[in-house]
Amino acid sequence: MNVDNCPRCGRLYVKNLMNLCQPCIKDLEHEYEICVDYLRKNRGTNIQELSDATEISIKEITRFIREGRISIANAPNMMYPCEVCGTLIRDGHMCDSCRSRLTKDLANAAKETVDKSSTKKTSDAAYRAVDKFRN
């Protein structure tokens, strides 16, 4: 049987799609319902106000948003933190500045890799020994 410890409470459980034990899944669903009910009554709220009013962590609320369970399309003040710097964003995992910095760093790393491979001497390669026998 495929069993594991629940990451939320530590109980032993049979693995499932949610990767949580049944009591924690029920608690999570209850937290979700609390959030949705509060948002229906208070459309102009932001994530901090929602967290304070419901006593549900910003991390869990962000998880609901990223899973698509809570829609922020009709909630103009609802934003969640960038995973890198914490700046409030409305979509994706990173803000525009972190995304552009990551893109630039990846381009530089790729350029360095190409530069290093092009400056290698071919005489240091394994083919040199083969070439000696041809002469």
Side-chain angles (χ1 to χ4, degrees):
M1 207 180 256
N2 227 359
V3 295
D4 200 2
N5 286 27
C6 178
R8 280 185 78 161
C9 68
R11 289 185 204 128
L12 196 64
Y13 74 102
V14 177
K15 283 189 173 184
N16 55 42
L17 292 175
M18 297 278 294
N19 290 327
L20 297 171
C21 66
Q22 287 301 316
C24 286
I25 290 173
K26 287 181 182 177
D27 289 345
L28 192 65
E29 289 303 311
H30 181 68
E31 288 178 358
Y32 166 71
E33 291 297 328
I34 291 171
C35 287
V36 169
D37 288 342
Y38 186 83
L39 285 172
R40 283 184 187 135
K41 295 173 185 170
N42 305 288
R43 289 200 183 269
T45 191
N46 63 36
I47 198 164
Q48 186 64 52
E49 292 169 354
L50 178 61
S51 178
D52 291 344
T54 60
E55 296 179 2
I56 297 169
S57 70
I58 290 176
K59 183 179 175 182
E60 283 301 327
I61 297 168
T62 302
R63 183 175 163 192
F64 294 146
I65 294 169
R66 286 206 176 113
E67 288 174 350
R69 297 179 75 190
I70 293 178
S71 173
I72 60 173
N74 295 326
N77 297 332
M78 186 63 71
M79 296 190 234
Y80 54 92
C82 166
E83 288 183 1
V84 179
C85 68
T87 302
L88 294 177
I89 56 176
R90 287 192 55 85
D91 63 350
H93 294 274
M94 287 187 272
C95 64
D96 290 337
S97 64
C98 290
R99 189 177 303 115
S100 64
R101 186 172 61 239
L102 178 64
T103 304
K104 185 176 115 185
D105 290 347
L106 287 172
N108 288 340
K111 183 180 177 188
E112 287 176 12
T113 303
V114 169
D115 289 345
K116 285 181 183 178
S117 67
S118 66
T119 59
K120 265 190 175 177
K121 295 180 182 176
T122 56
S123 62
D124 293 339
Y127 296 110
R128 183 172 182 206
V130 174
D131 290 340
K132 280 186 179 180
F133 292 114
R134 287 188 181 168
N135 291 333

